[in-house]
Amino acid sequence: MRCLRDFLQKAEQSGVAIGHFNISDLVLVKAVFAAARELNVPVLVGLSEGEREFVGTRQIAAFVRSLREEFDFPIFLNADHTHSLAKGIEAAKAGFDSIVFDLSALPIEENVRQTKQAVEALKAINPSILVEGEIGDIGSGSEIHDSAPDLSKGLSSPEEAKQFVETTGVDILAPAVGNMHGMLRSMVQGETKKRLDVERIAGIKQAARVFLTLHGGSGTDDEDFRKAIKAGINIVHINTELRVAWRLGLEQGLAKQPNEVVPYKILPSAVDPVKQVVGSRLQLFNGRHVGNGA
């Protein structure tokens, strides 16, 4: 099996993006893996520090590795939003393929200094691990929000991106380009969509010349996704959309079987809704027409 860098390079050459989906239980893993296999496209599953704490860092690494080996399928594992070097080292030693070392809440000088140290420390453990840095402000929490923060003040600039990448040595950059974590209630209901600064993405790509990740992709306009990928986005993160589908599917399963107590008979009702969301996003990110599987 080729490494994650190889698949990212192929995606960039083909003008497509690899979908990244956060997971925190077996239902989500099953749904993401099934959708990716059906479409035969590589996929990234990610876990934040909180998600890793719940699932188990070494345990999820072993589980994903077993899927990759048994099915000879390119499913890769990312340590999402890692805020300390200790947590990054834990994920690297467990065998994660990539780590998002996120100190974007700190002043840029401190973010640069600590990210540079993290790149050196993590690659000493595994030279092929990909390290991602983050700049700008895209909010926090993959949750349902009542109102959107003012993200215009925290947008990343091409100059800042270039300097950050050259100084830190990161393999992947996550800039702030109009994206935000979580979704507004109006987005869940389909009334509004997130919009991206595509020109800014293109400028950052040209200046930084590294792989780019779009965090906070849930609720984004489909056409904006297409334009963003064309402008240089290589990885797209989706989390809240999956959480909403998981919750609705679980509620429906419980409502249909009010007296059932067997988990493996209730939980499949949550797999299919999540799989549908993942499948439609993977089709979009891979330049396929959503809905016909082509």
Side-chain angles (χ1 to χ4, degrees), residues 99-155:
I99 294 175
V100 178
F101 193 69
D102 177 13
L103 296 185
S104 57
L106 297 179
I108 186 66
E109 297 80 12
E110 194 58 25
N111 185 359
V112 167
R113 188 183 70 79
Q114 291 193 42
T115 301
K116 184 175 187 293
Q117 290 177 344
V119 170
E120 292 167 357
L122 296 171
K123 286 187 180 285
I125 296 168
N126 176 9
S128 67
I129 202 166
L130 298 184
V131 183
E132 177 177 323
E134 187 168 321
I135 55 173
D137 180 16
I138 56 174
S140 62
S142 296
E143 300 155 353
I144 309 302
H145 304 297
D146 290 316
S147 60
D150 180 9
L151 300 170
S152 61
K153 296 170 187 171
L155 294 174

Side-chain angles (χ1 to χ4, degrees), residues 26-41:
L26 187 59
V27 167
L28 291 158
V29 180
K30 284 173 71 74
V32 173
F33 187 59
R37 280 193 75 205
E38 225 169 73
L39 294 166
N40 196 27
V41 293

